[in-house]
Amino acid sequence: MIPHAPILAVFLPLLAAFVLPLVSLLERRYKIPLAKEWVSAIFVIAEVMVVFSVFPDAKSSVVAYQLGGWAPPLGIVLAIDALSALAALIIVTVGALVFIYSFIYMRRESGVEHYYALLFLLLGGCVGVVFTGDIFNFYVFFEIMSIASYALVAFRRHLWGIEAAIKYLIVGSLGTSFILLGIVFLYGRFGTLTMANIMELMGQVAARDLVIPLTCFLVGIGIKVAMVPFHFWLPDAYQGAPSPVSAFFSGATATVGVYAIARIVYVLFGAASVGSLLVVLGLITMVVGALMALVQRDLKRLLAYSGISQMGYVLVGLGLGTALGIQGALFHIFNNAVYKTLLFMLVGAVIWRVGTSRMDELGGLWKNMPITAFMFLLGSLAIAGIPPLNGFASKWMIYLAGIEYGGWGYVVTAIALIVSALTLAYFLKALSSVFLGQRPSHLANVKEPPAAMLLPAMVLAVLCVVFGVLPQLGVDLVEPAQRAISDLNGYIVGVMGG
Amino acid sequence: MADSVVFGPGFWGPIIATASMLLIAGAGYLLILASRRISPRRPTSEKLTTYACGEDVSPSQTRPDAEFFFSPIRRVFRPFYRYIGAKHTGELSLYVWWVLIGALVLVVLTAHGLGVL
């Protein structure tokens, strides 16, 4: 591990967010071409290296980093176990690819230095949420992440983007207020903010005293992961945001939400008994998302609803609570990050070339954009759970977990299978509407986007195939995280000491 | 309960399954090529023209409506679209109501889950 890697992983993106406006000033004054892009690239590469260096250590034990040398519970501690490391790995990988994609996609926009600064703030907030071992810092980083998100949705200052950002701001603030309220209840009860310390004391409290704080967290995080009925903000926000931002939201921010559910419900509260609640909410989320996606006219809204639906699978896997179910859920969130980021990048490529994401105005683009179209086909098949792509492997694990559970687990598997068929249906509609059929005459001269925009998408498309053909790689990747969720004592000892 | 799932090795391991799928897809493509050889395409201008009721139809008019692309599925789930789909109006006040109603329902369900109710 790189020395001080845990704090560097949080500090580097925040530093970048403040350095970039200065770099932009120098770029304008001294006419240095692409200075902010180069500086962004350097910071992103450094961030990826730092987070990847933590992963091997965190896989086997909890990496506890005490800020200022103050031991918990007095001091603030960054606590990185395999679950945090997996989430951070997904976040920085998606983040790095989105940055590369943005270098071309955003060059037509003005005020790009603010865009990169906000994206770094978002990245820093995400990494902070998954690395912190302190519940109040969890809230602070959650707010940093959320505020950066609101600003990014409104970045283009289009009417619909601003409207979506205001809706997201109000609903998101309601969510973070619920989280803060939950923290207040916990602090009032336990007198500490260190998660491991709260876990130690949790056994001394009657279950009825945990109902309100746990509900507050579930609502707050439920809004972030767009669990039905807290999902309404998401399609507007994804549609209003620039495509790279939507890609980041669907890949990285969604991962943070799932991490938060696993960390708070299973690890902090040790409340595996609410698993059946998560399964029910997951099933509703899965079905509502799929049925709404089926009737969308706009590609980005379709992808947004499909993201809601996929989150349902993750909630179901987590809620089943078995080793297989949790592994399936974690593998699915990894896969979801891969193909949803890919699909948003490809839709962004279409918008970049054509100027619209309305399916009724598109068609026949396979001839013009064969690489984009082929990758969209791959992503669509992956998200629908068609073998031999990665979505199949994680969905298969969730199906098996349902069957293994027995009883109503069979019903869960049956619904999940039907929703997979619906997913295939609406992605075939998207593929047919955008890339097949007759091409409107005004689209005759449309070309592929530049290679630098296609490259990150290609990386993700390759991952779809690799983790589909070699799914054991994915299982091996998520297995330590699943063990970390189950090993509450290991987390407490790792943070608080023997 | 299983600790994990093992994908392959074995006859239905992922690599064998992938190779089989590619093989079948390749065989299917060869069949298509063979069928074209046996029965070659003979396009005429009339065959290539899209028309309806004796009138030529332009490409933009031949497109299916994206919202009604799967109208049979819409009909099957009509109650959903009438009562739940219709609530996705974009109105902020409605979103906030749903959050509050959802929070109240979650309190009850969480209490039940924790064995309090």
Side-chain angles (χ1 to χ4, degrees):
Chain A
M1 186 173 78
I2 294 171
H4 305 287
I7 189 64
L8 275 176
V10 181
F11 180 69
L12 273 176
L14 299 180
L15 176 69
F18 289 97
V19 164
L20 271 165
L22 293 174
V23 172
S24 182
L25 275 177
L26 295 174
E27 183 185 271
R28 275 201 295 270
R29 173 168 286 191
Y30 298 105
K31 306 266 186 284
I32 311 164
L34 300 174
K36 54 185 175 299
E37 281 80 4
W38 280 110
V39 171
S40 299
I42 290 166
F43 270 104
V44 163
I45 291 166
E47 176 72 1
V48 170
M49 285 168 63
V50 166
V51 169
F52 272 66
S53 81
V54 179
F55 194 71
D57 290 17
K59 253 171 75 172
S60 51
S61 62
V62 180
V63 176
Y65 184 89
Q66 298 170 0
L67 294 186
W70 290 71
L74 280 180
I76 294 170
V77 64
L78 298 175
I80 306 156
D81 61 0
L83 177 65
S84 315
L86 174 70
L89 198 77
I90 298 172
I91 291 163
V92 296
T93 308
V94 167
L97 294 172
V98 165
F99 266 97
I100 296 169
Y101 181 82
S102 300
F103 293 153
I104 302 290
Y105 190 93
M106 296 304 288
R107 71 180 180 194
R108 294 173 179 171
E109 307 286 336
S110 57
V112 179
E113 66 275 19
H114 302 131
Y115 167 82
Y116 289 126
L118 286 167
L119 209 53
F120 270 117
L121 269 185
L122 181 58
L123 185 62
C126 290
V127 175
V129 169
V130 300
F131 272 12
T132 186
D134 181 286
I135 194 74
F136 186 72
N137 274 271
F138 174 89
Y139 165 75
V140 171
F141 286 120
F142 215 87
E143 275 290 24
I144 291 174
M145 181 181 87
S146 301
I147 291 167
S149 304
Y150 310 144
L152 281 167
V153 170
F155 179 75
R156 279 192 170 140
R157 292 176 225 163
H158 291 155
L159 198 59
W160 60 88
I162 293 170
E163 186 191 329
I166 291 172
K167 287 176 189 169
Y168 185 18
L169 167 74
I170 292 173
V171 178
S173 303
L174 205 59
T176 44
S177 305
F178 270 106
I179 291 175
L180 184 60
L181 202 60
I183 293 167
V184 168
F185 279 119
L186 286 185
Y187 187 69
R189 175 62 58 186
F190 300 110
T192 177
L193 293 167
T194 306
M195 288 196 225
N197 199 17
I198 295 173
M199 287 160 65
E200 274 182 317
L201 303 170
M202 197 60 87
Q204 303 166 9
V205 179
R208 66 171 180 280
D209 294 335
L210 299 178
V211 172
I212 298 295
L214 181 56
T215 307
C216 287
F217 279 107
L218 277 175
V219 174
I221 300 164
I223 288 174
K224 187 50 77 184
V225 297
M227 181 169 74
V228 173
F230 310 119
H231 65 290
F232 289 87
W233 62 270
L234 188 135
D236 294 351
Y238 279 32
Q239 189 183 14
S243 296
V245 175
S246 309
F248 190 93
F249 284 175
S250 63
T253 317
T255 303
V256 173
V258 172
Y259 163 85
I261 288 190
R263 173 69 70 210
I264 300 294
V265 177
Y266 283 97
V267 180
L268 184 67
F269 281 85
S273 55
V274 296
S276 49
L277 167 64
L278 288 183
V279 172
V280 172
L281 289 170
L283 286 176
I284 297 171
T285 302
M286 176 191 296
V287 172
V288 170
L291 289 178
M292 288 305 297
L294 211 59
V295 295
Q296 296 307 310
R297 289 177 182 277
D298 187 279
L299 252 181
K300 284 178 90 177
R301 280 186 88 80
L302 182 145
L303 287 184
Y305 278 111
S306 99
I308 294 172
S309 181
Q310 295 308 305
M311 212 41 74
Y313 281 93
V314 177
L315 291 174
V316 164
L318 280 178
L320 286 169
T322 59
L324 196 56
I326 294 174
Q327 280 179 25
L330 294 173
F331 192 15
H332 199 65
I333 194 66
F334 172 82
N335 289 336
N336 181 62
V338 171
Y339 49 61
K340 283 315 287 294
T341 310
L342 166 69
L343 288 166
F344 267 112
M345 283 180 174
L346 298 174
V347 169
V350 171
I351 296 171
W352 202 73
R353 280 299 190 199
V354 180
T356 182
S357 56
R358 289 185 64 81
M359 285 182 273
D360 288 331
E361 295 169 18
L362 298 167
L365 287 176
W366 192 296
K367 285 173 200 154
N368 304 55
M369 307 172 85
I371 302 170
T372 305
F374 181 70
M375 287 195 290
F376 191 89
L377 174 67
L378 268 184
S380 302
L381 295 177
I383 198 170
I386 303 295
L389 298 165
N390 60 347
F392 168 75
S394 51
K395 283 187 178 178
W396 177 251
M397 289 172 77
I398 294 170
Y399 302 152
L400 281 184
I403 291 167
E404 186 192 61
Y405 198 89
W408 52 267
Y410 289 105
V411 180
V412 171
T413 300
I415 294 173
L417 272 166
I418 293 167
V419 172
S420 270
L422 290 175
T423 309
L424 182 63
Y426 61 74
F427 270 102
L428 285 181
K429 172 182 106 168
L431 190 78
S432 162
S433 302
V434 180
F435 295 108
L436 305 177
Q438 303 225 36
R439 185 180 57 201
S441 53
H442 69 278
L443 299 180
N445 297 322
V446 172
K447 290 178 197 158
E448 285 283 7
M453 251 169 94
L454 281 178
L455 187 71
M458 279 178 188
V459 172
L460 293 165
V462 168
L463 288 179
C464 282
V465 177
V466 168
F467 281 92
V469 177
L470 302 169
Q472 204 59 41
L473 288 177
V475 177
D476 295 342
L477 185 71
V478 300
E479 205 175 355
Q482 173 263 317
R483 280 202 307 272
I485 291 175
S486 314
D487 184 16
L488 305 187
N489 204 41
Y491 185 84
I492 295 170
V493 171
V495 177
M496 302 300 291
Chain B
M1 299 279 177
D3 283 341
S4 186
V5 65
V6 178
F7 287 96
F11 182 71
W12 281 112
I15 294 174
I16 300 282
T18 305
S20 309
M21 278 185 269
L22 290 176
L23 206 67
I24 292 165
Y29 188 67
L30 284 177
L31 274 175
I32 292 171
L33 286 183
S35 71
R36 282 187 189 163
R37 191 170 279 266
I38 294 164
S39 170
R41 284 190 252 185
R42 293 189 183 83
T44 62
S45 60
E46 280 182 337
K47 278 185 185 173
L48 293 175
T49 311
T50 314
Y51 55 90
C53 305
E55 298 285 334
D56 281 356
V57 181
S58 70
S60 59
Q61 289 174 299
T62 57
R63 305 184 45 73
D65 187 300
E67 190 179 341
F68 297 95
F69 196 90
F70 288 114
S71 52
I73 300 178
R74 268 183 83 104
R75 281 198 291 277
V76 170
F77 293 101
R78 186 176 290 163
F80 171 85
Y81 290 110
R82 180 175 290 175
Y83 298 110
I84 297 174
K87 298 286 179 226
H88 293 72
T89 57
E91 286 173 42
L92 180 60
S93 55
L94 196 68
Y95 293 4
V96 176
W97 271 115
W98 273 106
V99 170
L100 295 178
I101 292 166
L104 288 175
V105 173
L106 268 190
V107 171
V108 177
L109 293 177
T110 308
H112 180 72
L114 290 175
V116 176
L117 284 182

